[in-house]
């Protein structure tokens, strides 16, 4: 019975060693699996984080594209409005240039008329100056004639006065003789 028990014990110890060996092998395999899983788990986490970043980037890119599209649409409308305004300004400028050309033409005509009128007025002024000078010369001549006539008139009045005195003297003499 002791031998039997010893045999059982030896068998149990052998089983125990085999179980321990299997356990060590299993433990080593589990450890190795964990080591193999840890990088895979970390890679999965990195992949998930990268996937999340890609999603956020896509959302952000989509929003930016929408904003750019809105800006492009607004700029296209603004450009069209500016083109219309530019065309209107060109038409207005053409009309303004036409008005300016007509105004310049009218000014040239006015300058010609003013120049002709100025020449006419200058001619009349020169003629009047000549006539005034001639009139002044004639006036001086007439004044000299008047002075001469005034002198003759004084002489004639003196002669008349002398003759009157003589006549009165003769009349008094005649009256005295009668």
């Amino acid at each position: 019975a002791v031998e039997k028990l010893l045999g059982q014990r030896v068998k149990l110890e052998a089983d125990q060693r085999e179980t321990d060996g299997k356990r060590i092998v299993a433990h080593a395999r589990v450890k190795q699996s964990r080591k193999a899983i840890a990088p895979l788990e970390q890679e999965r986490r990195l992949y998930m984080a990268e996937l999340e970043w890609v999603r956020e980037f896509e959302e952000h890119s989509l929003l930016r594209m929408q904003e750019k599209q809105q800006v492009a649409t607004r700029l296209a409308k603004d450009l069209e409005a500016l083109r219309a305004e530019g065309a209107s300004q060109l038409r207005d400028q053409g009309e303004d240039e036409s008005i300016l050309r007509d105004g310049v033409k009218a000014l040239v005509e006015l300058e010609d008329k003013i120049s002709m009128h100025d020449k006419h007025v200058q001619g009349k002024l020169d003629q009047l100056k000549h006539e005034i000078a001639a009139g002044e010369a004639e006036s001086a001549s007439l004044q000299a004639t008047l002075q001469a006539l005034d002198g003759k008139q004084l002489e004639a009045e003196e002669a008349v006065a002398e003759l009157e005195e003589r006549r009165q003297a003769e009349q008094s003499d005649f009256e005295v003789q009668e």
Side-chain angles (χ1 to χ4, degrees):
V2 173
E3 280 186 15
K4 199 176 172 183
L5 284 176
L6 274 175
Q8 282 182 345
R9 183 174 175 200
V10 169
K11 188 177 176 194
L12 283 174
E13 283 177 0
D15 285 344
Q16 180 70 38
R17 275 191 297 246
E18 187 181 323
T19 304
D20 283 345
K22 286 181 182 178
R23 194 167 28 108
I24 288 172
V25 168
H27 184 67
R29 283 186 181 162
V30 166
K31 203 173 185 182
Q32 189 145 5
S33 293
R34 282 188 183 156
K35 283 182 182 176
I37 289 176
L40 291 175
E41 183 63 30
Q42 185 163 355
E43 189 176 328
R44 185 184 73 79
R45 284 188 197 130
L46 287 173
Y47 176 75
M48 292 304 285
E50 191 174 311
L51 189 61
E52 184 62 28
W53 181 85
V54 167
R55 277 191 209 125
E56 288 176 5
F57 180 78
E58 285 177 347
E59 287 176 11
H60 180 71
S61 295
L62 180 63
L63 290 174
R64 294 228 12 208
M65 284 175 46
Q66 288 174 347
E67 287 174 4
K68 285 182 180 180
Q69 184 63 33
Q70 289 172 350
V71 167
T73 303
R74 190 179 70 243
L75 288 175
K77 287 179 183 177
D78 291 348
L79 179 62
E80 190 59 37
L82 286 174
R83 283 183 179 157
E85 184 179 337
S88 173
Q89 287 178 352
L90 282 175
R91 281 192 303 274
D92 293 347
Q93 183 179 358
E95 292 171 4
D96 291 347
E97 287 175 357
S98 174
I99 291 169
L100 284 174
R101 280 193 298 274
D102 292 345
V104 168
K105 183 179 174 184
L107 283 174
V108 168
E109 290 175 2
L110 185 60
E111 284 178 347
D112 289 345
K113 286 180 181 179
I114 288 172
S115 176
M116 285 178 22
H117 183 69
D118 188 39
K119 287 178 184 175
H120 177 73
V121 168
Q122 191 63 39
K124 286 283 190 181
L125 185 60
D126 290 344
Q127 181 183 355
L128 285 174
K129 284 180 183 178
H130 181 67
E131 288 176 6
I132 287 172
E136 285 176 351
E138 190 177 326
S139 173
S141 172
L142 286 175
Q143 194 148 8
T145 303
L146 278 176
Q147 284 177 352
L149 286 176
D150 284 345
K152 292 284 185 185
Q153 186 178 4
L154 281 176
E155 286 177 17
E157 285 176 0
E158 287 175 5
V160 167
E162 222 179 88
L163 284 174
E164 186 63 34
E165 281 177 22
R166 261 201 258 154
R167 186 189 64 78
Q168 283 180 357
E170 282 182 8
Q171 190 175 14
S172 351
D173 284 340
F174 182 67
E175 286 178 4
V176 172
Q177 286 178 3
E178 280 186 4

